[in-house]
């Protein structure tokens, strides 16, 4: 019996010794592994800095040891500003590298100067910022107000759902503003829907919804008009501005709600010219050498008799030395004397060609088949080709690069093809 007890005790003692041996070996191996993976600091080596480096990189950027918010790692102080390259035989060498790279290699941040630049390899928070929505903060000079709305077309039910969201920056003729909005689905001028009036506010919140029943065949030929009025104490309506929104295919794609904002436009009180008028915008981008034309709308067109089923479109032609270069056409609008287009076209024009180039905008009506008849034309360009309002529009475009300059122009009748 005593022998069995002795064997058990001996076995327990031997197991404990073996366990201690294993623990010791494991600790030694762990220390060895950690020693090979840690950074070493070479004696007598310091991070060199140049005069240019002192200008580009502030001192606190090189001595900071705390982890910035959002950065999942910390650079050890002993190796800040150095890159280590592993060599053979477990040796380490410092890779030659300028602590502060050339300015052209630094990340670009808008509105920054070289003193604010960051070293390559660090996180630049400017790259992760979403662009700010300036629709509620940036209002151009002379703006009459801004309107937010939504459109959605239900194909199966043939219903147009319009949401009137809000308006901001309305200019009332008196100290207080009590706005309301009337909605027309042009070319129908007689029937309209109306919002509730908001009292004593230039930035009303409407949050109202309206439904128009319109067939899918004619929906792309219709135009939404929002007319914003001020209601005075005598309950009279004074027009503050309007928004015209053509219902194009790209806007109605998919059964989803599209939120849109537009600036109000003043209603033109001038009577139309003899052959009608055309409104369009011009812009020239001197960086991209791009001439942009935005055909907005026409009014007072003299259509042929019984032309309700015929369409009207605008042809925009780029000319150089009176020679044809390129032309683009808008979509056709069924026989309306006041068609709305809101279509944009761009042409490549070098700065040296601006003194010899011109734009010809021709309003045409389909006459059946491939034939069309001209309703009027307007030419804008330099002094070589134009005078008056057309020349002033061209000069203002050149004086305001990368800005849209909008003007009305009277159409002239010509016998040229």
């Amino acid at each position: 019996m005593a022998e069995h007890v002795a064997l058990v005790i001996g076995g327990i003692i031997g197991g404990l010794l073996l366990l201690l041996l294993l623990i010791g070996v494991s600790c030694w191996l762990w220390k060895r592994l950690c020693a090979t993976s840690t950074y070493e600091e070479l004696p007598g080596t310091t991070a060199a800095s140049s005069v240019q480096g002192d200008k580009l990189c502030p001192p606190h950027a090189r001595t900071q040891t705390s982890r910035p918010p959002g950065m999942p790692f910390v650079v050890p102080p002993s190796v800040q500003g150095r890159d280590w390259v592993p060599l053979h035989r477990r040796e380490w060498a410092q890779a030659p590298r300028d602590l502060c790279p050339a300015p052209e290699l630094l990340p670009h941040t808008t509105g920054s100067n070289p003193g604010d630049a960051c070293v390559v390899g660090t996180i630049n928070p400017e790259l992760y910022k979403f662009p700010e929505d300036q629709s509620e903060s940036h209002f151009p000079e002379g703006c009459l107000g801004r309107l937010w709305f939504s459109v959605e077309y239900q194909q199966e039910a043939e219903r147009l759902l319009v949401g009137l969201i809000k308006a901001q920056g309305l200019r009332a003729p008196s100290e207080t503003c009590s706005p309301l909005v009337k909605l027309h689905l042009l070319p129908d001028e007689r029937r309209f829907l109306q919002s509730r009036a908001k009292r004593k506010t230039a930035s009303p919140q409407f949050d109202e919804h309206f439904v128009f029943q319109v067939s899918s065949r004619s929906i792309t030929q219709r135009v939404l008009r929002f007319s914003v009025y001020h209601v005075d104490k005598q309950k009279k309506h004074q027009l503050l501005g309007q928004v015209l929104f053509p219902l194009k295919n790209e806007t109605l794609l998919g059964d989803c709600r599209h939120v849109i904002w537009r600036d109000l436009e003043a209603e033109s009180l001038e009577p139309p010219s003899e052959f009608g008028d055309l409104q369009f915008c011009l812009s020239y981008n001197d960086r991209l050498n791009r001439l942009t034309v935005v055909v907005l709308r026409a009014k007072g067109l003299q259509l042929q008799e019984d032309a309700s089923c015929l369409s009207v479109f605008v042809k925009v032609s780029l000319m150089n030395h009176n020679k044809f270069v390129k032309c683009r056409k808008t979509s056709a609008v069924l026989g309306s004397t006041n068609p709305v287009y809101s279509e944009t076209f761009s042409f490549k024009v070098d700065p040296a060609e601006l003194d010899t180039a011109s734009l010809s905008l021709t309003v045409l009506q389909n006459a059946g088949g491939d034939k069309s008849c001209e309703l009027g034309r307007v030419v804008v360009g330099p002094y070589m080709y134009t005078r008056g309002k057309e020349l002033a529009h061209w000069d203002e475009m050149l004086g305001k690069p990368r800005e849209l300059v909008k003007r009305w122009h009277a159409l002239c009748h010509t016998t040229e093809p």
Side-chain angles (χ1 to χ4, degrees), residues 154-336:
Q154 296 178 348
Q155 190 80 22
E156 296 182 358
E158 293 188 335
R159 295 194 308 171
L160 177 66
L161 308 181
V162 182
L164 184 60
I165 302 174
K166 63 180 179 179
Q168 286 189 3
L170 299 180
R171 292 189 176 184
S174 59
E175 295 182 357
T176 60
C177 182
S178 299
L180 64 81
V181 181
K182 293 182 180 180
L183 292 80
H184 290 82
L185 190 59
L186 302 179
D188 188 357
E189 295 272 4
R190 295 177 300 173
R191 290 176 291 183
F192 65 89
L193 300 176
Q194 180 176 309
S195 72
R196 293 187 296 270
K198 302 294 181 179
R199 295 185 57 81
K200 297 182 180 181
T201 174
S203 300
Q205 189 80 24
F206 294 102
D207 293 328
E208 299 185 40
H209 301 275
F210 307 91
V211 179
F212 292 93
Q213 198 73 34
V214 55
S215 66
S216 57
R217 294 182 179 180
S218 62
I219 183 65
T220 56
Q221 300 293 330
R222 311 300 287 270
V223 177
L224 264 177
R225 183 176 69 189
F226 301 86
S227 301
V228 183
Y229 292 89
H230 163 65
V231 184
D232 59 16
K233 295 180 180 179
Q234 287 76 28
K235 304 298 182 182
K236 293 183 180 180
H237 294 180
Q238 302 180 29
L239 182 64
L240 302 180
Q242 61 182 5
V243 171
L244 294 174
F245 183 72
L247 298 172
K248 303 293 184 180
N249 286 327
E250 56 271 17
T251 308
L252 304 175
L253 286 177
D255 293 336
C256 58
R257 180 171 173 258
H258 300 269
V259 178
I260 305 153
W261 62 266
R262 291 288 187 273
D263 287 337
L264 299 182
E265 297 181 358
E267 185 182 24
S268 177
L269 301 178
E270 297 182 2
S273 305
E274 180 181 359
F275 301 104
D277 300 270
L278 184 65
Q279 187 186 42
F280 56 91
C281 300
L282 294 179
S283 174
Y284 183 71
N285 191 320
D286 51 354
R287 296 179 181 176
L288 303 178
N289 298 339
R290 185 173 62 194
L291 177 62
T292 302
V293 185
V294 184
V295 182
L296 296 175
R297 52 178 169 161
K299 67 176 182 179
L301 299 180
Q302 303 298 320
L303 303 181
Q304 294 182 351
E305 296 182 1
D306 300 330
S308 58
C309 60
L310 299 179
S311 55
V312 180
F313 63 95
V314 180
K315 181 174 71 174
V316 184
S317 303
L318 175 65
M319 313 290 289
N320 194 1
H321 289 290
N322 279 333
K323 294 183 179 179
F324 173 80
V325 178
K326 188 177 183 181
C327 92
R328 304 285 297 276
K329 296 180 181 180
T330 68
S331 57
V333 177
L334 286 179
S336 171

Side-chain angles (χ1 to χ4, degrees), residues 58-96:
H60 63 79
R62 295 191 295 267
T63 59
Q64 185 178 3
T65 58
S66 61
R67 179 172 62 89
M71 183 180 293
F73 56 88
V74 175
V75 180
S78 60
V79 294
Q80 284 187 355
R82 284 180 281 174
D83 287 337
W84 298 93
V85 181
L87 303 176
H88 298 290
R89 298 180 183 177
R90 298 176 60 183
E91 296 178 351
W92 293 83
Q94 183 177 2

Side-chain angles (χ1 to χ4, degrees), residues 19-38:
L19 180 60
L20 291 174
L21 180 62
L22 291 176
I23 292 175
V25 173
S26 301
C27 292
W28 180 80
L29 290 176
W30 176 254
K31 291 181 179 180
R32 183 72 178 271
L33 180 62
C34 294
T36 59
S37 62
T38 55

Side-chain angles (χ1 to χ4, degrees), residues 116-133:
D116 299 330
C118 301
V119 180
V120 173
T122 61
I123 294 179
N124 185 1
E126 295 292 333
L127 301 177
Y128 300 92
K129 288 185 177 180
F130 289 98
E132 296 182 0
D133 183 13

